[in-house]
Amino acid sequence: IWVESKSRYGAPKIHKVLTKDGEKLSLKRVQRYMADMGIRSIVVKKFKYHSDKPVSEEKDNIINRDFETTDINQKWCTDITYIHTLRDGWTYLASVMDLFSRKIIGYAYGTSMNADLVVKAIENACLNVKTTEGIILHSDLGSQYTSHEFENFLCSKGIIHSFSRKGNPYDNACIESFHSVLKKEEVNHHKYYDFNIARKAIFEYIESWYNRKRIHGAIDYMTPQAVHEAASVAA
Protein backbone atom coordinates (compact mmCIF):
# COMPACT_ATOMS: atom_id res chain seq x y z
CA ILE A 1 0.00 0.00 0.00
CA TRP A 2 2.81 2.38 0.87
CA VAL A 3 4.68 1.67 -2.38
CA GLU A 4 1.52 1.99 -4.48
CA SER A 5 0.91 5.40 -2.93
CA LYS A 6 4.46 6.42 -3.95
CA SER A 7 5.34 6.85 -0.25
CA ARG A 8 2.47 9.35 0.17
CA TYR A 9 0.43 7.39 2.73
CA GLY A 10 1.18 7.44 6.44
CA ALA A 11 -0.07 4.99 9.08
CA PRO A 12 -3.67 6.33 9.37
CA LYS A 13 -4.46 5.92 5.67
CA ILE A 14 -2.65 2.58 5.40
CA HIS A 15 -4.66 1.40 8.41
CA LYS A 16 -7.91 2.49 6.73
CA VAL A 17 -7.05 0.62 3.53
CA LEU A 18 -6.13 -2.54 5.45
CA THR A 19 -9.34 -2.36 7.48
CA LYS A 20 -11.46 -2.03 4.32
CA ASP A 21 -9.61 -5.06 2.94
CA GLY A 22 -10.71 -7.09 5.96
CA GLU A 23 -7.45 -7.06 7.94
CA LYS A 24 -7.87 -6.89 11.70
CA LEU A 25 -5.11 -4.83 13.27
CA SER A 26 -4.81 -1.59 15.19
CA LEU A 27 -3.40 1.72 14.05
CA LYS A 28 -0.61 1.36 16.61
CA ARG A 29 0.40 -1.98 15.10
CA VAL A 30 0.55 -0.41 11.65
CA GLN A 31 2.74 2.34 13.11
CA ARG A 32 5.02 -0.28 14.71
CA TYR A 33 5.30 -2.24 11.46
CA MET A 34 6.16 0.91 9.54
CA ALA A 35 8.80 1.84 12.10
CA ASP A 36 10.30 -1.67 11.94
CA MET A 37 10.41 -1.46 8.13
CA GLY A 38 11.87 2.04 8.19
CA ILE A 39 9.09 3.57 6.09
CA ARG A 40 7.12 6.77 6.60
CA SER A 41 4.99 9.17 4.59
CA ILE A 42 6.84 11.83 2.65
CA VAL A 43 6.70 15.26 4.25
CA VAL A 44 8.41 18.28 2.72
CA LYS A 45 7.99 21.87 3.84
CA LYS A 46 5.98 23.66 1.17
CA PHE A 47 7.08 26.81 -0.59
CA LYS A 48 5.10 29.88 0.44
CA TYR A 49 4.77 32.68 -2.07
CA HIS A 50 4.53 36.16 -0.58
CA SER A 51 3.06 38.81 -2.86
CA ASP A 52 3.69 42.51 -2.40
CA LYS A 53 0.65 43.46 -4.46
CA PRO A 54 -2.10 45.45 -2.72
CA VAL A 55 -5.16 43.45 -1.71
CA SER A 56 -8.58 44.29 -3.13
CA GLU A 57 -11.38 45.74 -1.05
CA GLU A 58 -13.59 43.47 1.04
CA LYS A 59 -16.35 41.62 -0.81
CA ASP A 60 -19.17 39.31 0.27
CA ASN A 61 -17.99 36.19 2.10
CA ILE A 62 -21.09 34.08 1.46
CA ILE A 63 -19.62 30.71 2.44
CA ASN A 64 -18.01 32.14 5.60
CA ARG A 65 -16.07 28.90 6.29
CA ASP A 66 -19.24 26.79 6.04
CA PHE A 67 -17.84 24.04 3.80
CA GLU A 68 -20.70 21.60 4.49
CA THR A 69 -22.95 20.62 1.58
CA THR A 70 -25.61 17.99 0.93
CA ASP A 71 -24.80 17.28 -2.71
CA ILE A 72 -22.33 17.96 -5.49
CA ASN A 73 -22.41 21.22 -7.45
CA GLN A 74 -23.68 23.30 -4.56
CA LYS A 75 -20.42 24.90 -3.43
CA TRP A 76 -17.11 25.09 -5.28
CA CYS A 77 -13.81 26.68 -4.30
CA THR A 78 -10.87 27.81 -6.41
CA ASP A 79 -7.34 29.14 -6.05
CA ILE A 80 -3.96 29.46 -7.81
CA THR A 81 -0.65 27.89 -6.81
CA TYR A 82 2.90 28.35 -8.12
CA ILE A 83 5.02 25.56 -9.62
CA HIS A 84 8.67 26.12 -10.58
CA THR A 85 10.38 24.69 -13.68
CA LEU A 86 14.07 24.88 -14.52
CA ARG A 87 13.72 26.21 -18.07
CA ASP A 88 10.44 28.13 -18.01
CA GLY A 89 10.60 29.52 -14.47
CA TRP A 90 7.38 29.93 -12.51
CA THR A 91 4.22 28.34 -13.86
CA TYR A 92 0.71 28.52 -12.44
CA LEU A 93 -2.05 26.04 -11.63
CA ALA A 94 -5.64 27.20 -11.08
CA SER A 95 -7.80 24.48 -9.50
CA VAL A 96 -11.52 24.13 -8.79
CA MET A 97 -12.82 21.76 -6.10
CA ASP A 98 -16.35 20.54 -5.40
CA LEU A 99 -16.78 20.81 -1.64
CA PHE A 100 -19.12 17.81 -1.34
CA SER A 101 -16.87 15.25 -3.02
CA ARG A 102 -13.54 17.09 -2.62
CA LYS A 103 -12.93 16.22 -6.28
CA ILE A 104 -10.86 18.56 -8.46
CA ILE A 105 -13.51 19.09 -11.10
CA GLY A 106 -11.60 21.60 -13.21
CA TYR A 107 -8.15 23.07 -13.51
CA ALA A 108 -5.95 25.05 -15.89
CA TYR A 109 -2.17 25.17 -16.03
CA GLY A 110 -0.20 27.91 -17.75
CA THR A 111 2.84 30.18 -17.81
CA SER A 112 0.87 33.36 -17.05
CA MET A 113 -1.14 34.07 -13.93
CA ASN A 114 -3.96 36.06 -15.49
CA ALA A 115 -7.73 36.14 -15.75
CA ASP A 116 -7.69 33.81 -18.76
CA LEU A 117 -6.16 31.07 -16.61
CA VAL A 118 -8.80 31.21 -13.87
CA VAL A 119 -11.66 31.51 -16.37
CA LYS A 120 -10.38 28.40 -18.17
CA ALA A 121 -10.34 26.46 -14.89
CA ILE A 122 -14.00 27.34 -14.25
CA GLU A 123 -14.92 26.55 -17.86
CA ASN A 124 -13.44 23.08 -17.41
CA ALA A 125 -15.33 22.63 -14.14
CA CYS A 126 -18.60 23.46 -15.91
CA LEU A 127 -18.14 20.97 -18.75
CA ASN A 128 -20.04 18.07 -17.18
CA VAL A 129 -22.57 20.05 -15.14
CA LYS A 130 -26.14 20.19 -16.46
CA THR A 131 -26.88 23.54 -14.86
CA THR A 132 -24.53 25.88 -13.03
CA GLU A 133 -27.26 28.28 -11.95
CA GLY A 134 -26.99 29.00 -8.22
CA ILE A 135 -23.64 27.30 -7.57
CA ILE A 136 -21.58 29.25 -5.02
CA LEU A 137 -17.93 29.64 -6.01
CA HIS A 138 -15.47 30.76 -3.34
CA SER A 139 -12.13 32.43 -4.11
CA ASP A 140 -9.67 34.84 -2.58
CA LEU A 141 -9.43 38.55 -3.47
CA GLY A 142 -6.69 38.10 -6.07
CA SER A 143 -6.80 40.42 -9.06
CA GLN A 144 -7.62 37.51 -11.38
CA TYR A 145 -10.74 36.66 -9.39
CA THR A 146 -11.90 40.27 -9.08
CA SER A 147 -11.37 41.03 -12.78
CA HIS A 148 -14.26 42.02 -15.03
CA GLU A 149 -13.49 39.06 -17.30
CA PHE A 150 -13.90 36.57 -14.47
CA GLU A 151 -16.99 38.22 -13.00
CA ASN A 152 -18.65 38.41 -16.42
CA PHE A 153 -18.03 34.71 -17.02
CA LEU A 154 -19.56 33.76 -13.65
CA CYS A 155 -22.61 35.92 -14.40
CA SER A 156 -23.05 34.19 -17.76
CA LYS A 157 -23.18 30.85 -15.93
CA GLY A 158 -25.39 32.01 -13.06
CA ILE A 159 -22.63 31.25 -10.55
CA ILE A 160 -22.63 33.22 -7.28
CA HIS A 161 -19.22 34.54 -6.20
CA SER A 162 -18.08 34.35 -2.58
CA PHE A 163 -14.80 35.90 -1.41
CA SER A 164 -12.33 35.29 1.40
CA ARG A 165 -11.66 38.16 3.75
CA LYS A 166 -8.37 40.05 3.61
CA GLY A 167 -5.51 37.99 5.03
CA ASN A 168 -7.68 34.99 5.94
CA PRO A 169 -6.38 31.88 4.10
CA TYR A 170 -8.58 29.66 6.30
CA ASP A 171 -11.62 31.12 4.53
CA ASN A 172 -10.53 29.00 1.55
CA ALA A 173 -9.02 26.17 3.55
CA CYS A 174 -10.15 23.23 1.39
CA ILE A 175 -8.48 24.29 -1.85
CA GLU A 176 -5.47 25.60 0.10
CA SER A 177 -5.21 22.12 1.62
CA PHE A 178 -5.32 20.47 -1.81
CA HIS A 179 -2.50 22.64 -3.13
CA SER A 180 -0.51 21.92 0.03
CA VAL A 181 -0.97 18.17 -0.49
CA LEU A 182 -0.03 18.51 -4.16
CA LYS A 183 3.21 20.20 -3.14
CA LYS A 184 3.94 17.76 -0.32
CA GLU A 185 3.23 14.58 -2.27
CA GLU A 186 4.40 15.54 -5.76
CA VAL A 187 5.86 18.93 -6.64
CA ASN A 188 8.43 19.30 -3.87
CA HIS A 189 9.99 15.93 -4.76
CA HIS A 190 10.81 16.78 -8.35
CA LYS A 191 12.73 19.35 -10.37
CA TYR A 192 10.67 19.76 -13.53
CA TYR A 193 12.75 20.71 -16.55
CA ASP A 194 10.03 22.63 -18.36
CA PHE A 195 6.35 23.44 -18.53
CA ASN A 196 5.38 20.35 -20.55
CA ILE A 197 7.05 17.91 -18.18
CA ALA A 198 5.41 19.61 -15.20
CA ARG A 199 2.02 19.58 -16.97
CA LYS A 200 2.18 15.81 -17.49
CA ALA A 201 3.14 15.24 -13.84
CA ILE A 202 0.31 17.44 -12.57
CA PHE A 203 -2.21 15.76 -14.88
CA GLU A 204 -1.14 12.33 -13.63
CA TYR A 205 -1.28 13.43 -9.98
CA ILE A 206 -4.77 14.95 -10.20
CA GLU A 207 -6.46 12.52 -12.58
CA SER A 208 -4.75 9.22 -11.75
CA TRP A 209 -3.93 9.68 -8.08
CA TYR A 210 -5.78 12.43 -6.19
CA ASN A 211 -9.25 12.08 -7.69
CA ARG A 212 -9.33 8.32 -8.25
CA LYS A 213 -7.01 6.61 -5.77
CA ARG A 214 -6.21 8.86 -2.82
CA ILE A 215 -8.61 8.27 0.07
CA HIS A 216 -9.75 11.41 1.93
CA GLY A 217 -10.49 11.69 5.64
CA ALA A 218 -13.18 14.36 5.17
CA ILE A 219 -15.26 11.99 3.00
CA ASP A 220 -15.06 8.87 5.18
CA TYR A 221 -11.83 7.67 3.60
CA MET A 222 -13.36 7.30 0.16
CA THR A 223 -11.88 8.70 -3.02
CA PRO A 224 -13.26 11.98 -4.43
CA GLN A 225 -14.20 10.24 -7.68
CA ALA A 226 -16.20 7.54 -5.86
CA VAL A 227 -18.15 10.12 -3.85
CA HIS A 228 -18.77 12.26 -6.95
CA GLU A 229 -19.98 9.30 -9.00
CA ALA A 230 -22.26 8.06 -6.22
CA ALA A 231 -23.83 11.51 -5.92
CA SER A 232 -24.26 11.75 -9.69
CA VAL A 233 -26.06 8.39 -9.81
CA ALA A 234 -28.31 9.34 -6.89
CA ALA A 235 -29.27 12.57 -8.66
Side-chain angles (χ1 to χ4, degrees), residues 58-102:
E58 293 280 4
K59 292 180 178 288
D60 290 340
N61 185 356
I62 299 169
I63 286 185
N64 195 26
R65 300 191 188 180
D66 178 12
F67 306 125
E68 296 297 320
T69 67
T70 58
D71 203 351
I72 59 173
N73 300 325
Q74 292 179 348
K75 297 177 183 178
W76 295 352
C77 56
T78 186
D79 197 13
I80 303 172
T81 195
Y82 299 73
I83 296 170
H84 190 263
T85 66
L86 296 176
R87 191 184 73 177
D88 299 322
W90 288 109
T91 60
Y92 310 95
L93 174 69
S95 309
V96 185
M97 174 186 284
D98 179 89
L99 285 174
F100 182 79
S101 64
R102 295 301 201 269

Side-chain angles (χ1 to χ4, degrees), residues 119-225:
V119 168
K120 185 62 178 177
I122 304 300
E123 284 181 343
N124 291 335
C126 294
L127 287 177
N128 297 314
V129 181
K130 292 180 180 179
T131 176
T132 57
E133 190 78 29
I135 293 174
I136 300 174
L137 174 74
H138 191 81
S139 76
D140 63 21
L141 288 161
S143 59
Q144 300 80 15
Y145 295 115
T146 56
S147 67
H148 291 300
E149 182 181 349
F150 189 73
E151 291 290 357
N152 289 340
F153 179 76
L154 293 190
C155 287
S156 73
K157 293 291 184 178
I159 297 174
I160 303 166
H161 202 172
S162 171
F163 294 89
S164 296
R165 292 163 294 179
K166 293 180 182 179
N168 280 273
Y170 291 111
D171 284 355
N172 209 7
C174 296
I175 196 70
E176 293 267 4
S177 177
F178 164 69
H179 284 155
S180 175
V181 167
L182 169 68
K183 297 290 183 68
K184 184 182 77 170
E185 296 185 347
E186 170 61 31
V187 174
N188 290 344
H189 297 276
H190 301 280
K191 290 183 178 180
Y192 305 117
Y193 175 68
D194 60 14
F195 171 81
N196 287 326
I197 290 175
R199 179 176 59 183
K200 291 177 182 177
I202 291 165
F203 174 85
E204 180 183 353
Y205 179 85
I206 294 175
E207 298 294 351
S208 298
W209 172 249
Y210 184 86
N211 278 343
R212 289 173 170 78
K213 292 183 179 179
R214 189 183 191 276
I215 56 177
H216 199 302
I219 49 176
D220 195 27
Y221 290 94
M222 296 176 65
T223 65
Q225 182 68 22

